[in-house]
Amino acid sequence: MPTLKFGKYLTLATAALLLLATAPGAVAAAPKAADGTRAVPAAAAETWKAPLSTRGRYIVDADGNRFRLKSANWDGAQGSWTGSGSKDDPANQHAGQNSYGIPLGLDRVSLPRLLDDFHELGVNSIRLPFSNEMIHATTPVPDVAVTANPELRGKTPLQVYDAVVSALTRSGFAVILNNHTNTSRWCCGVDGNERWNSSQSTQQWADDWVFMARRYAGDPRVVGADLYNEVRRDILDDPNWGLGDAHDWYAAAQLAADRILSEANSNLLIVIEGINWTGLPVDGFAHGRPTLTPARNLSHTLVAAHKLVYSAHFYGYTGPNHSGATGIGETHDARYQDLTRDQLYQVLNDQAFFVSSEANQHFTAPVWISEFGIGSGETGAAARTWFGNITDYFADHDVDFAYWPLVGWEGHDDWSLLRYDTSGNRYGILDGSDWRGTAWNRLMTAPTRTGSVPEVPGWRMLATDHGDYVQSLRVRAGGDWNPGASKAVCPDGERLIGLGHSGVRALCTDVSTGDLRSSAGTQTVVTDERHVPAGGDWASGYTKLQCPAGNFLIGYSRRGGRTSAALCVPAAGSLAGAGRTVWFDRSDNRPPGAAGGDFANGDYKGQCADDEYAAGIAFTTRFGASQGPAALLCRKLN
């Protein structure tokens, strides 16, 4: 397993990638409290208010003001052992740094001073990795691991993690919890950490996330849950995005996200990283980094609709189809640092930033580059040019980012923004001699959007490919409204506006009206034509599932290929607009320039206009014909 410039480990068979993240800006240190910790600096306290949510491509605070994630990764709690030899031998730790399963640097520098240095960098948020093994560890960390912080002696790794979280948030930082590994072994190759369920069950993984989200639910500045790091191939199998099997990252992320939001903390941002690597890194064999490209055709819709953030990692020595390996396992694919500036920018958009740059799509969301980085000792011209180019991209496109890593040991990991020797002396990006400083200063001083971000319409995909997709908490609370069928329901606050002919996919929105639903908890399951008024046959010869007067569609169900039921709820106001039939059994039928994007790829789609609501679904029961949705009854909102 070769080491790549003290970045991350990359193993041949999986070619898992390395990624890193950070951000500077200048915030004055806060005065010390009586206990020696720092209270929230005035500048930080005035700048943002928890919780965070999303509006289109932007993350916003509780007042609707833009909150740009200018982050760094404070690693260590995910583990540092490289997988061979004694775990107590520093030589067997990544970069010779034994983290003892807690954030690095606590043996050398006091927490208050570390936080002062973080503020001097200008970061406003910390991605804080942890392992599932750390959560369950019961042995206290050795005293040597917390030499500079004796108050942490006798604490377990999780208790130390608690103290770090508390100190960070008291000091004004936003904290994003990051499940980095299953085991406390350095990633990211064939190491037992390839997938969320490589060394544990999906159930245990999701349970651990609920536990962690509940643990910090009382701390509003714990703002996010970054579900899993660098999902990738193991020796035999690839992860996938939507196949419905045990390796389906799309489904696992959906499960964990909805459980966190519905069982633990509805205020958290949910960060879902793309797939980091599939295939074998051998010329002539399929291989590469899907990253976020699958989201174009299959995106996530959470039970809290404004909490989704997508994520990707980029390092210069990897590439769109390059694992980052040298020697054995190296292919002839270009690395990112081999690309011209224009080529790099196109690849960045194709692999990740289309998600945030294409507005009003079912996949539109903020994109956080939660890892990228380079060493201060890097001398290669291509690598240095890449670093300048990618930080220029982040600056020019106002990107949310996080550098890897934040803290390291002097003489060991020159990738770190801040390095400390055994006496606590500091080195790194704040030194004038660090060549990375020029690029960082431009990134941190470039113009950025600030202030209020207007609310924008939401567009969400429903996908019943492998079962239910009920994203309304109000509907979930009422139980199973059509047992045995595959059911799909829009998130609370949105209405159904589009359907695919197969009935597998649908589109939801709040465009034009916002939340249209009455506060009344009633809902109607429609399985026949009883609500079609006399003389109101809007789809002659077809079975029509029409909502009662004053109601609109929020969901539907199917049994196999046959439409099964429509779910309707009452509107808060009058719904008496004129109606029209939108047929889509033989071709697409969507308004010109319709928003939402291709929400049912490969399927005929029907969609109401933005100023309409869906009031009914028509389908045929003719022998030999597709019995999926064939038409929508679309009515004017007023």
Side-chain angles (χ1 to χ4, degrees):
M1 184 186 306
T3 304
L4 295 174
K5 302 182 181 177
F6 294 137
K8 287 192 175 182
Y9 285 91
L10 186 71
T11 301
L12 175 65
T14 170
L17 306 152
L18 324 199
L19 315 106
L20 306 139
T22 193
V27 179
K32 287 184 179 179
D35 62 0
T37 62
R38 302 278 178 179
V40 178
E46 293 168 1
T47 302
W48 70 286
K49 180 180 177 182
L52 303 182
S53 57
T54 67
R55 291 183 179 177
R57 63 139 292 186
Y58 294 108
I59 296 169
V60 298
D61 73 0
D63 291 328
N65 294 317
R66 190 331 175 47
F67 185 87
R68 184 186 184 193
L69 290 176
K70 298 186 294 183
S71 321
N73 285 266
W74 190 3
D75 80 302
Q78 83 283 6
S80 57
W81 180 55
T82 58
S84 62
S86 170
K87 291 184 178 181
D88 297 324
D89 187 345
N92 300 324
Q93 312 295 319
H94 169 69
Q97 303 174 144
N98 191 342
S99 73
Y100 297 99
I102 60 176
L104 278 164
L106 299 177
D107 60 328
R108 299 168 178 233
V109 190
S110 69
L111 257 174
R113 186 182 156 210
L114 282 167
L115 301 185
D116 286 349
D117 290 349
F118 299 171
H119 281 302
E120 190 173 349
L121 279 172
V123 297
N124 62 12
S125 44
I126 301 296
R127 183 177 185 245
L128 198 63
F130 67 87
S131 72
N132 298 91
E133 184 176 340
M134 182 209 78
I135 296 174
H136 300 284
T138 58
T139 302
V141 299
D143 289 352
V144 69
V146 291
T147 302
N149 293 273
E151 71 279 6
L152 300 179
R153 289 176 181 168
K155 294 185 181 295
T156 66
L158 180 56
Q159 290 169 334
V160 173
Y161 193 90
D162 291 341
V164 167
V165 169
S166 179
L168 285 167
T169 58
R170 275 179 50 81
S171 195
F173 294 102
V175 172
I176 298 94
L177 311 174
N178 164 234
N179 186 197
H180 208 77
T181 51
N182 298 173
T183 68
S184 291
R185 177 179 170 183
W186 185 261
C187 80
C188 292
V190 178
D191 48 31
N193 296 306
E194 299 85 2
R195 293 189 301 275
W196 64 97
N197 59 357
S198 290
S199 305
Q200 62 191 349
S201 68
T202 296
Q203 177 72 38
Q204 180 62 59
W205 173 70
D207 287 347
D208 281 353
W209 256 123
V210 171
F211 168 81
M212 290 293 278
R214 284 176 176 165
R215 190 173 186 87
Y216 305 109
D219 190 335
R221 289 192 177 92
V222 176
V223 299
D226 184 350
L227 296 183
Y228 202 71
N229 183 71
E230 297 185 12
V231 173
R232 57 197 181 274
R233 181 185 177 89
D234 60 17
I235 295 174
L236 297 176
D237 297 300
D238 285 327
N240 66 78
W241 190 278
L243 294 185
D245 59 15
H247 299 161
D248 186 348
W249 172 229
Y250 170 86
Q254 183 78 49
L255 169 70
D258 285 349
R259 286 197 60 193
I260 290 167
L261 293 170
S262 62
E263 298 177 31
N265 186 351
S266 61
N267 287 325
L268 290 178
L269 293 176
I270 301 296
V271 181
I272 300 178
E273 188 180 328
I275 293 177
N276 202 57
W277 185 264
T278 60
L280 295 173
V282 179
D283 287 331
F285 287 79
H287 56 268
R289 304 183 70 226
T291 48
L292 293 174
T293 54
R296 184 176 288 279
N297 292 329
L298 182 59
S299 61
H300 292 85
T301 294
L302 308 183
V303 292
H306 297 281
K307 292 296 183 179
L308 173 65
V309 175
Y310 278 121
S311 175
H313 294 179
F314 290 101
Y315 291 103
Y317 55 81
T318 63
N321 297 99
H322 201 299
S323 70
T326 57
I328 297 175
E330 183 174 11
T331 62
H332 288 84
D333 304 294
R335 303 174 191 263
Y336 292 114
Q337 66 193 33
D338 297 328
L339 304 178
T340 67
R341 186 179 177 97
D342 288 345
Q343 289 171 335
L344 175 64
Y345 286 13
Q346 186 62 55
V347 166
L348 291 173
N349 184 75
D350 292 346
Q351 289 195 278
F353 287 106
F354 72 91
V355 171
S356 56
S357 64
E358 297 182 26
N360 296 318
Q361 306 295 301
H362 64 81
F363 52 76
T364 302
V367 171
W368 182 37
I369 303 305
S370 55
E371 284 191 26
F372 77 107
I374 197 168
S376 63
E378 177 63 63
T379 59
R384 284 192 173 206
T385 298
W386 166 82
F387 188 69
N389 285 339
I390 200 166
T391 51
D392 281 351
Y393 186 97
F394 294 170
D396 295 340
H397 293 80
D398 202 7
V399 169
D400 297 272
F401 61 91
Y403 184 90
W404 181 285
L406 174 57
V407 176
W409 293 359
E410 171 63 11
H412 290 257
D413 188 353
D414 74 341
W415 283 61
S416 304
L417 287 176
L418 303 172
R419 305 186 304 277
Y420 300 90
D421 64 19
T422 54
S423 298
N425 298 309
R426 189 189 72 194
Y427 306 83
I429 194 77
L430 295 175
D431 302 337
S433 59
D434 193 315
W435 71 269
R436 301 172 297 176
T438 300
W440 277 116
N441 288 337
R442 175 164 194 273
L443 175 59
M444 297 311 297
T445 59
T448 181
R449 177 165 187 166
T450 59
S452 180
V453 176
E455 294 186 15
V456 295
W459 302 90
R460 324 284 175 193
M461 171 190 286
L462 298 179
T464 63
D465 304 48
H466 305 291
D468 289 354
Y469 208 80
V470 177
Q471 297 309 98
S472 164
L473 292 176
R474 294 179 68 178
V475 172
R476 287 188 182 190
D480 190 343
W481 55 274
N482 195 0
S486 293
K487 298 167 286 295
V489 182
C490 296
D492 292 323
E494 299 190 0
R495 67 186 188 276
L496 193 73
I497 199 170
L499 275 171
H501 183 40
S502 67
V504 173
R505 303 276 175 87
L507 184 67
C508 303
T509 191
D510 58 359
V511 69
S512 300
T513 66
D515 190 351
L516 189 61
R517 186 174 178 178
S518 165
S519 60
T522 57
Q523 62 185 36
T524 302
V525 179
V526 180
T527 58
D528 55 34
E529 295 190 343
R530 71 184 63 191
H531 300 294
V532 178
D537 188 352
W538 51 274
S540 179
Y542 285 69
T543 301
K544 293 166 284 294
L545 306 179
Q546 185 170 336
C547 293
N551 283 241
F552 62 96
L553 274 169
I554 62 166
Y556 68 99
S557 64
R558 62 185 180 90
R559 297 179 188 274
R562 178 174 179 171
T563 304
S564 174
L567 184 64
C568 305
V569 294
S574 174
L575 288 179
R580 66 187 180 102
T581 303
V582 175
W583 292 97
F584 54 97
D585 53 340
R586 295 187 179 129
S587 64
D588 276 3
N589 191 353
R590 305 173 65 211
D598 190 353
F599 64 88
N601 183 253
D603 203 359
Y604 293 146
K605 293 170 285 294
Q607 184 172 331
C608 300
D610 290 358
D611 61 350
E612 294 177 323
Y613 66 95
I617 305 170
F619 65 99
T620 183
T621 57
R622 291 195 303 269
F623 178 77
S626 171
Q627 297 184 0
L632 281 170
L633 174 60
C634 298
R635 291 190 180 278
K636 287 287 187 180
L637 286 164
N638 50 49

